[in-house]
Amino acid sequence: VFWRKQMRFQFRGKSIKTNQWYYGYYFKKLPFMPHPFSSKAEQERYESETEHWIIVQDGGDWGLPYSNGYVTIDPTTLGQCTGMHVKTTKGHREYLYEGDIVDFYNAQFEVVWDKDSFRWLLVNGTFECHPLVVEMANTIVKVGNKYDIGQVSD
């Protein structure tokens, strides 16, 4: 199976403390409820005090149930899982996330969510883009992500 619906609600993000990737569910902890007509200073305070978490499941031991923990992440590294399972340069398969860099017909593309068309796209630095469809799963190779290897190169 190359496409999993339940994985579409998984996210990843880099921890602020350890700079490691964490996978789980995204939660945005709001410091207070902003007023729609609040001042610019209050809006800036709201943004600076908002925390972004990945909720991770800690492994249970000795038959005890799993418990949930959270990791504070850098919101600029947040990416949602596409649900597509693709090959990597190391030869195994991994899920594809927003911000991943893939090789598609000898060109590198970034996986992005298009809010206007409500679909995943493969976009490179030029105007070239392709909609991400399940039939591509065997032709796409995951190279890395834009946070660890830099921006998409032509």
Side-chain angles (χ1 to χ4, degrees), residues 73-85:
I73 61 156
D74 176 0
T76 62
T77 64
L78 179 69
Q80 186 172 359
C81 184
T82 65
M84 188 180 284
H85 215 222

Side-chain angles (χ1 to χ4, degrees), residues 73 124-125 135 154:
I73 61 156
N124 69 5
E135 290 81 15
D154 293 61

Side-chain angles (χ1 to χ4, degrees), residues 18-152:
T18 65
N19 207 33
Q20 288 182 306
W21 285 104
Y22 284 88
Y23 298 81
Y25 298 99
Y26 174 62
F27 182 78
K28 187 175 181 178
K29 183 181 178 225
L30 306 175
F32 56 88
M33 191 57 121
H35 189 274
F37 303 110
S38 58
S39 68
K40 185 170 177 116
E42 191 171 293
Q43 289 175 0
E44 289 172 359
R45 183 178 146 238
Y46 172 77
E47 286 298 321
S48 68
E49 292 179 14
T50 299
E51 291 185 45
H52 301 268
W53 296 349
I54 293 291
I55 308 295
V56 293
Q57 217 177 38
D58 296 331
D61 198 10
W62 299 334
L64 297 172
Y66 289 98
S67 63
N68 290 327
Y70 69 91
V71 177
T72 304
I73 61 156
D74 176 0
T76 62
T77 64
L78 179 69
Q80 186 172 359
C81 184
T82 65
M84 188 180 284
H85 215 222
V86 298
K87 288 184 241 172
T88 67
T89 54
K90 297 175 184 172
H92 60 278
R93 288 190 166 276
E94 288 182 1
Y95 284 105
L96 203 55
Y97 283 83
E98 184 176 5
D100 280 343
I101 305 296
V102 297
D103 187 53
F104 182 59
Y105 291 112
N106 298 320
Q108 287 192 348
F109 293 86
E110 179 184 343
V111 178
V112 297
W113 175 253
D114 184 32
K115 293 177 184 174
D116 295 329
S117 63
F118 299 104
R119 63 181 175 172
W120 294 104
L121 296 175
L122 299 180
V123 179
N124 69 5
T126 64
F127 293 106
E128 186 178 0
C129 74
H130 302 279
L132 185 64
V133 293
V134 71
E135 290 81 15
M136 294 177 162
N138 288 322
T139 57
I140 291 174
V141 177
K142 183 176 175 178
V143 177
N145 64 67
K146 72 178 186 178
Y147 312 106
D148 293 335
I149 64 171
Q151 296 295 323
V152 179

